[in-house]
Amino acid sequence: MFAGPAEPGTDRTVVGENLSLPLFRTLSGVLAGHPYLKVVVDRVENTWHLLDTAAHPFHVNYIATRVLGMELAQLDAELDAFNASVYMDPARRFLLGVLSLHTDEDTEGRERTFLVLETTEADTMNGELLGFFYEFVRERVDGRFPILLKPANHGQEEELAAISELRVPRILSHELFGSRTRTPLNPGEATGRLRYFRTGAQYAAAEAGLGWADIVAMPCLPDDVPRVAGFLNTAPITPLSHTNVLASGWGIPNAIVRDLDELVEKDGLDGAWVRYRVGEEEISLERLDREPELRAPAWHQQRIRLEPPLLEDAPVLSLHRLRAADSDRYGTKAANLGELHHVLDSRTADLTAFYGRPRPPREDLYGHLATRLGLTDPTTAELRSRAADFVASTVDAPEGVALPFSLQQHFLASSPALQQGIGKLKMALELDATDVLDSLCLQLQQLIRHTPVPESVTRQIGQAFPTPPAATGRLVVRSSSNAEDLPGFSAAGVYDSVTTVRGTGELLDAVRQVWASLVSPRSVRLRHQVGISLDDTYMGVIIQEYVPAALGGVLVTCDPTRRADFRNVYLNCSPGSPEQVVDGSVLPQQYLYNVVEGGGRTVALGSWGDGLPVSTRARLADLSLTGRLLQSHFSETDVDRPLDIEWLMSERGDFRLVQIRPYAL
């Protein structure tokens, strides 16, 4: 809804007419599968404009050029100020919105057609303006069609709370779209054979035979699904689930298709060759008449290059003593958390670079960032300083220690049986002996879990804690390999973490379990597919005290389903540990936060019937802005490369980031 170039064509826009269904269909376009029509209410002229969608893709261009007589060059030069005048000024002349056409069933199962009126997510209409806007439109639309107002953000929801629903009938975003039949999760296109499994048992029976040309469909795919051509889910999941992170990293299409049973039955799709497309607005499955000539997918040629691991003796270190460059000794996860400590403690990093990139026709977004941070016309130094202070006051980095690769190397070298098992696995990989690969991996994992840890290694782990582990209560032991959290290879959910550790004995068992996960059948296969040698792969370990969480989740500093959107951050959360969101054991609440113009909206309430309190949602807005600011530092040379951040809110109410990694696009 923001300004951009208009498309040429016949303009059928009308002014001042009442809206009938035939006129609606004449002027409307289609968005997310629903016909929609842009409207502009002119409060000075007491009239409205019904825009021809094909001729006027942006409200602002129409108002500037057709109503106010401006040139596009002038609008581009004044775009942010103009947007503020139509979206944020309480005394604004123009009210901008969209009418969309929807159908559902009434209480007796009969189809009902209704219209939904909404504004853009950045619009700050107060209750008075929202009421006026709704009533103005209601009076001019065919009375046979119900109209519901959909608040576009949390601010509008709060404003509407004081207005009777009899005066302004409404529907919330998650109510309107929560039961959507088809929902894109990861855009893409694939040609392959559809394999539809209605139960986990059916999938398990066929899993060994799945290959790169298969498109796997089932209610909810398991986290250990092999690399295939595409995913379909028939039950709701979130765009931030492990399987969708994998889909994003692998560049394969993924969507929720609730009516897959009907499609399969109608077109005989199960086992058939299909062309599967997932776009922002449409999801399709097209049956092919014959088996196509398929080329191996691009990821067959993908090669991930690792920096050589450094295996000389290194001390067990506290996370705050690590930096990003230490990933070759302690693993990427530990190094990123150490870098986070440095960013928060030193406050010297430039966290504004994302906002400094040109977003045509804007030269930069520094003005928007200044507004978000409560500054007026700051200098560059003042903006950077305020951004660093804001991040440091919003989040903490986790405490803990990191075990270097050298401890794993000492452990492996201590046992001839382990060395023999590693040698057999390397030989199988060199010979591409896939028939014995899984059994060799499982045997080696079993050996690692039960081989005694050398006393020298045990001593170094024990000395890392000022008090014995038994006295510190519950511990969390996490993986930190050099083959995870990498651009193009996130390894989400591939390696083990153990979150219920108590005492020295359990600690050593947990460390061995994390080491063993480096040679699980799945992790070995995934690395082998992208050219990562077993010789180059090592596992560091992070050990932390367990922090009880009141709220936890994941955010990515983009909208996963709309790749060109530079405004929004997508956030998932649920009461308790973020692991519940990551492993898909609950359906989380989902929010979008605009970190340019401001504002947030609820996408879904997940397994909970109620949304979060207003004060908590406001704090999540700060967390989202913090994620975007950290992106400027952790994205290295490409400030548009989004981050995937796991976080928790402790029972005291403070935010703690527990993992930072690239989010593959």
Side-chain angles (χ1 to χ4, degrees):
M1 296 183 190
F2 290 83
E7 298 177 359
T10 303
D11 186 356
R12 295 165 293 186
T13 294
V14 299
V15 181
E17 293 187 21
N18 286 351
L19 181 62
S20 62
L21 187 57
L23 180 58
F24 179 95
R25 296 196 182 280
T26 298
L27 300 175
S28 66
V30 177
L31 183 65
H34 299 282
Y36 78 103
L37 172 66
K38 296 181 178 69
V39 301
V40 173
V41 170
D42 187 337
R43 299 171 72 202
V44 170
E45 298 293 335
N46 194 37
T47 191
W48 70 337
H49 303 245
L50 306 177
L51 308 191
D52 181 352
T53 303
H56 301 290
F58 300 100
H59 292 82
V60 172
N61 282 17
Y62 175 82
I63 295 170
T65 60
R66 299 300 182 91
V67 181
L68 301 179
M70 296 171 61
E71 297 292 333
L72 276 178
Q74 180 186 357
L75 174 62
D76 287 349
E78 304 171 6
L79 182 57
D80 286 333
F82 194 94
N83 276 336
S85 73
V86 295
Y87 292 119
M88 301 168 190
D89 186 351
R92 68 190 78 170
R93 171 180 172 180
F94 301 103
L95 305 179
L96 285 57
V98 168
L99 274 170
S100 53
L101 187 65
H102 299 260
T103 58
D104 66 3
E105 293 183 352
D106 62 20
T107 55
E108 298 180 0
R110 294 172 299 196
E111 186 177 273
R112 177 184 70 142
T113 300
F114 62 99
L115 293 168
V116 171
L117 175 66
E118 62 181 303
T119 70
T120 183
E121 62 188 15
D123 198 303
T124 60
M125 278 193 202
N126 57 28
E128 179 183 353
L129 282 178
L130 288 167
F132 175 86
F133 190 34
Y134 174 83
E135 290 167 348
F136 190 99
V137 172
R138 172 69 278 178
E139 291 173 2
R140 290 161 177 79
V141 174
D142 188 329
R144 291 174 295 177
F145 294 102
I147 301 180
L148 303 176
L149 180 67
K150 181 167 80 69
N153 50 53
H154 292 146
Q156 289 186 2
E157 287 182 26
E158 293 159 25
E159 289 288 330
L160 281 174
I163 300 175
S164 167
E165 291 200 40
L166 294 177
R167 177 189 169 195
V168 181
R170 68 207 62 168
I171 189 169
L172 301 181
S173 179
H174 64 270
E175 296 171 333
L176 184 62
F177 297 117
S179 58
R180 182 185 293 176
T181 302
R182 301 179 188 177
T183 304
L185 296 172
N186 195 63
E189 180 176 330
T191 298
R193 184 178 53 168
L194 184 68
R195 305 292 302 277
Y196 183 23
F197 307 108
R198 291 170 174 80
T199 67
Q202 290 178 353
Y203 168 83
E207 180 183 7
L210 295 177
W212 60 264
D214 289 321
I215 297 170
V216 179
M218 60 188 299
C220 186
L221 285 91
D223 284 349
D224 61 354
V225 63
R227 200 161 187 173
V228 292
F231 296 157
L232 287 100
N233 305 266
T234 59
I237 67 165
T238 164
L240 303 190
S241 65
H242 262 156
T243 50
N244 199 52
V245 171
L246 291 174
S248 178
W250 295 342
I252 63 174
N254 189 20
I256 301 169
V257 181
R258 293 188 176 187
D259 60 343
L260 186 61
D261 263 328
E262 300 171 25
L263 298 178
V264 167
E265 183 69 24
K266 174 187 172 187
D267 298 324
L269 296 181
D270 190 13
W273 292 94
V274 300
R275 184 170 292 111
Y276 172 39
R277 295 187 178 97
V278 177
E280 293 181 0
E281 312 302 341
E282 186 178 4
I283 299 164
S284 64
L285 277 169
E286 174 191 356
R287 178 168 180 154
L288 304 178
D289 294 333
R290 62 182 65 89
E291 180 177 342
E293 294 183 10
L294 295 179
R295 295 181 179 178
W299 55 263
H300 262 227
Q301 287 77 47
Q302 181 187 17
R303 289 295 176 263
I304 301 296
R305 182 180 178 184
L306 297 183
E307 293 297 323
L310 300 182
L311 302 178
E312 67 269 18
D313 287 344
V316 176
L317 288 181
S318 296
L319 289 174
H320 71 267
R321 296 181 59 186
L322 300 181
R323 294 292 302 275
D326 291 314
S327 61
D328 55 5
R329 290 180 177 86
Y330 296 88
T332 314
K333 189 181 299 182
N336 284 346
L337 291 177
E339 188 70 16
L340 176 63
H341 273 280
H342 171 74
V343 168
L344 299 181
D345 294 341
S346 70
R347 306 193 188 189
T348 57
D350 177 13
L351 304 181
T352 68
F354 174 88
Y355 290 86
R357 179 167 178 173
R359 310 286 174 180
R362 305 163 181 83
E363 293 184 3
D364 56 60
L365 299 175
Y366 284 141
H368 288 285
L369 177 58
T371 300
R372 302 278 72 76
L373 296 176
L375 299 176
T376 303
D377 197 24
T379 65
T380 299
E382 289 171 339
L383 187 62
R384 290 183 178 181
S385 176
R386 175 61 182 136
D389 289 344
F390 177 85
V391 169
S393 66
T394 304
V395 300
D396 293 323
E399 300 297 334
V401 299
L403 309 187
F405 298 158
S406 57
L407 290 189
Q408 183 203 21
Q409 173 67 0
H410 283 307
F411 169 72
L412 295 176
S414 71
S415 167
L418 286 175
Q419 291 298 303
Q420 185 180 31
I422 293 170
K424 289 180 178 179
L425 181 56
K426 288 179 181 178
M427 181 64 70
L429 290 169
E430 290 174 6
L431 298 176
D432 202 24
T434 56
D435 55 329
V436 299
L437 193 63
D438 286 8
S439 63
L440 289 175
C441 287
L442 293 172
Q443 291 170 18
L444 184 53
Q445 283 191 289
Q446 183 78 354
L447 271 174
I448 291 173
R449 292 192 188 102
H450 293 91
T451 298
V453 180
E455 193 277 334
S456 61
V457 175
T458 302
R459 184 173 61 253
Q460 290 185 67
I461 295 174
Q463 290 174 349
F465 294 89
T467 56
T472 62
R474 181 174 167 184
L475 298 174
V476 176
V477 179
R478 302 182 187 276
S479 67
S480 182
S481 170
N482 62 338
E484 65 179 316
D485 295 357
L486 304 173
F489 192 77
S490 74
V494 171
Y495 305 121
D496 286 354
S497 292
V498 187
T499 63
T500 57
V501 179
R502 295 183 184 274
T504 304
E506 288 189 10
L507 175 59
L508 292 178
D509 288 343
V511 170
R512 282 181 294 194
Q513 180 175 334
V514 172
W515 283 340
S517 67
L518 192 69
V519 292
S520 70
R522 182 169 183 244
S523 69
V524 169
R525 286 180 181 276
L526 289 176
R527 292 194 305 268
H528 187 60
Q529 287 170 353
V530 296
I532 297 177
S533 169
L534 186 63
D535 284 329
D536 293 334
T537 310
Y538 279 84
M539 179 66 77
V541 178
I542 299 170
I543 304 173
Q544 301 163 291
E545 290 190 34
Y546 173 77
V547 177
L551 194 68
V554 180
L555 69 85
V556 293
T557 56
C558 66
D559 181 345
T561 63
R562 295 183 179 275
R563 301 302 174 80
D565 177 11
F566 60 84
R567 291 180 164 84
N568 285 297
V569 165
Y570 202 100
L571 184 147
N572 284 2
C573 63
S574 68
S577 167
E579 277 82 8
Q580 295 182 94
V581 174
V582 173
D583 65 20
S585 59
V586 299
L587 195 60
Q589 297 189 18
Q590 303 173 45
Y591 298 92
L592 271 175
Y593 285 97
N594 184 325
V595 292
V596 177
E597 289 88 6
R601 58 189 174 92
T602 303
V603 177
L605 292 181
S607 302
W608 288 268
D610 296 322
L612 295 170
V614 172
S615 59
T616 303
R617 293 195 313 227
R619 297 200 60 212
L620 292 180
D622 289 345
L623 178 64
S624 299
L625 178 56
T626 293
R628 175 69 86 209
L629 292 170
L630 289 172
Q631 178 179 327
S632 293
H633 180 73
F634 283 91
S635 61
E636 299 174 350
T637 57
D638 181 5
V639 296
D640 273 347
R641 190 180 74 188
L643 298 179
D644 175 346
I645 298 174
E646 288 184 28
W647 58 272
L648 62 83
M649 186 174 74
S650 75
E651 293 177 342
R652 297 195 307 270
D654 56 304
F655 285 121
R656 189 166 302 189
L657 307 188
V658 296
Q659 183 168 338
I660 297 181
R661 61 187 173 197
Y663 181 74
L665 286 179

